[in-house]
Amino acid sequence: MVSSSNKSRAPPAGKTIRLQLDPLRLHEPARKKLSTIETQRIMVVFDDLVQKMELIEILPVIVSHADLFKSTIDTETMNEINRHEQLKHALETNTPLQSVTNIIEKLPQFENYTRCFDKALSRNVNEQIAYHYYIQQSIRNILRRLVHQQNHFDNIKRILQSKKLLPPQKDVIKLLKMLRDSAMERFLTTPLEEREKDDQIKSLNTRLSSNETIIAKLEKELNDAIADRDAEVCLEDFFRYFIVCH
């Protein structure tokens, strides 16, 4: 049975429940934590993707300033990073694939991609495809070593930030972060809160429009009053001048 105190707090039948969101906190989600495993997994994917893209952007800086990371990045991981940059350079300079065999054979998941060459394509095109395959495998190795070790990645960014070496974020990373924040806000907001937020925003827009109309009307009345006063002052000055002259 429901107690009398609970009955008194229950809303009347058919009455809409209003959450009465604070207008000053209109854009803040009511909840602070994700409530379901699914939403938590989605946010982990977002964070993981952003971190991976950030890391790919700073790899050339790490190679150029390797001395800064002696105590942060282990030797094997640094070797992986150097090999990755060498592969990228070889691709950009159209170096024959055979010349970098010593690099690609050190990849943990090395597979002789030349066996997959398409005879319908030129050797140069086939080598370009192979290069992309090996570079993809190389970056995966580095990401496995660094991204999933949160302290390592944070320390690397902190060092680059302190030395003013952190490259500016690309637009795609900024867009992903905006999308991530938007998704987080949606996940923390219930449908009822979302509807009330929309209603309050519409109400605020209506009041703003009404206030702008009132302000414009008052400004016109003020300007008219000032113009009338100036006209009266000019008229009084004219009469004083006329009396003095005569």
Side-chain angles (χ1 to χ4, degrees):
M1 294 181 64
V2 180
S3 66
S4 58
S5 60
N6 288 339
K7 287 182 178 179
S8 63
R9 289 196 296 267
K15 185 176 180 179
T16 302
I17 299 175
R18 302 293 290 177
L19 299 177
Q20 297 300 324
L21 297 176
D22 183 356
L24 297 179
R25 302 179 63 185
L26 190 60
H27 296 286
E28 296 182 14
R31 290 180 293 175
K32 299 301 180 183
K33 294 183 180 180
L34 298 174
S35 58
T36 65
I37 296 297
E38 289 77 10
T39 54
Q40 293 173 14
R41 287 175 177 171
I42 291 173
M43 297 316 300
V44 167
V45 171
F46 267 118
D47 292 337
D48 194 49
L49 180 58
V50 169
Q51 285 186 358
K52 286 179 178 179
M53 295 189 68
E54 287 180 333
L55 179 57
I56 291 171
E57 289 298 311
I58 65 178
L59 284 180
V61 185
I62 293 175
V63 173
S64 301
H65 300 83
D67 291 342
L68 296 174
F69 305 99
K70 287 182 177 179
S71 60
T72 306
I73 303 176
D74 62 89
T75 303
E76 184 54 37
T77 301
M78 186 59 75
N79 290 338
E80 290 276 1
I81 295 174
N82 285 324
R83 285 196 290 268
H84 175 74
E85 290 301 312
Q86 290 171 15
L87 277 176
K88 281 177 56 181
H89 179 72
L91 171 62
E92 293 165 357
T93 55
N94 292 319
T95 302
L97 192 65
Q98 189 175 1
S99 301
V100 293
T101 302
N102 62 321
I103 298 176
I104 60 179
E105 286 181 348
K106 293 180 181 178
L107 294 174
Q109 63 278 52
F110 169 70
E111 176 186 349
N112 188 354
Y113 198 83
T114 57
R115 294 180 303 177
C116 304
F117 278 3
D118 187 344
K119 295 181 179 180
L121 301 175
S122 67
R123 183 171 186 81
N124 184 54
V125 173
N126 274 316
E127 288 200 348
Q128 293 281 318
I129 296 172
Y131 261 120
H132 285 290
Y133 166 76
Y134 289 128
I135 288 175
Q136 184 183 60
Q137 300 306 316
S138 174
I139 194 63
R140 283 179 177 174
N141 294 334
I142 298 171
L143 293 176
R144 288 191 191 101
R145 288 177 173 272
L146 292 180
V147 172
H148 298 297
Q149 300 177 25
Q150 185 61 41
N151 292 336
H152 278 57
F153 185 62
D154 289 342
N155 289 337
I156 291 170
K157 290 181 64 176
R158 193 177 300 112
I159 292 171
L160 292 176
Q161 185 76 46
S162 65
K163 300 296 183 180
K164 297 183 179 180
L165 295 172
L166 196 63
Q169 287 187 347
K170 288 190 174 182
D171 290 340
V172 64
I173 298 179
K174 293 179 181 178
L175 183 61
L176 276 173
K177 288 186 174 181
M178 290 175 58
L179 185 60
R180 183 255 184 215
D181 292 341
S182 177
M184 174 66 85
E185 182 179 352
R186 286 300 186 100
F187 291 149
L188 293 175
T189 305
T190 65
L192 184 57
E193 290 168 345
E194 190 70 29
R195 285 195 296 271
E196 182 169 351
K197 184 185 293 186
D198 290 341
D199 291 342
Q200 289 198 16
I201 290 176
K202 290 177 182 178
S203 176
L204 289 173
N205 288 335
T206 301
R207 288 162 57 188
L208 178 61
S209 177
S210 176
N211 289 340
E212 288 176 346
T213 302
I214 294 173
I215 291 171
K217 180 180 178 181
L218 292 175
E219 286 179 343
K220 183 179 183 305
E221 292 177 354
L222 177 61
N223 291 331
D224 291 344
I226 293 173
D228 292 343
R229 186 199 62 185
D230 292 344
E232 291 178 0
V233 171
C234 290
L235 187 59
E236 290 176 358
D237 290 344
F238 171 76
F239 279 121
R240 289 195 190 99
Y241 176 78
F242 180 78
I243 292 173
V244 170
C245 293
H246 293 78

